Amino acid sequence: MESKARILSSITVIFAFYITMYHDTVVGARLYMIGNTLALPYMIKNKCWDVVVLIVFLIIMGLPKVIGAH
């Protein structure tokens, strides 16, 4: 299950980048949050702590954009 979530996460992050660049930054930020959150269980299970720290950092950095959206 975690492997499928990681693959879905990668696709979501790529799609989020496109949305952010060409359409809507808030929707793109929300998709980034979803994609990054989907990758966390896989990275934790496989003890990829550097990636876990990076993902958590990206989630924290994206929170203001997601929370502050109207």
Side-chain angles (χ1 to χ4, degrees):
M1 179 65 178
E2 290 143 355
S3 186
K4 290 180 184 178
R6 184 184 60 84
I7 293 167
L8 181 61
S9 166
S10 298
I11 293 168
T12 303
V13 168
I14 292 168
F15 186 65
F17 178 76
Y18 173 78
I19 296 296
T20 301
M21 294 300 294
Y22 297 106
H23 296 286
D24 187 353
T25 57
V26 174
V27 173
R30 288 178 180 160
L31 287 172
Y32 274 122
M33 297 287 267
I34 292 168
N36 287 330
T37 303
L38 285 172
L40 274 177
Y42 176 85
M43 297 302 171
I44 291 170
K45 180 180 178 186
N46 290 298
K47 298 180 180 159
C48 301
W49 302 120
D50 57 332
V51 179
V52 171
V53 170
L54 178 64
I55 289 173
V56 170
F57 175 77
L58 291 172
I59 288 172
I60 291 169
M61 293 301 292
L63 278 176
K65 189 68 168 178
V66 172
I67 293 171
H70 293 84

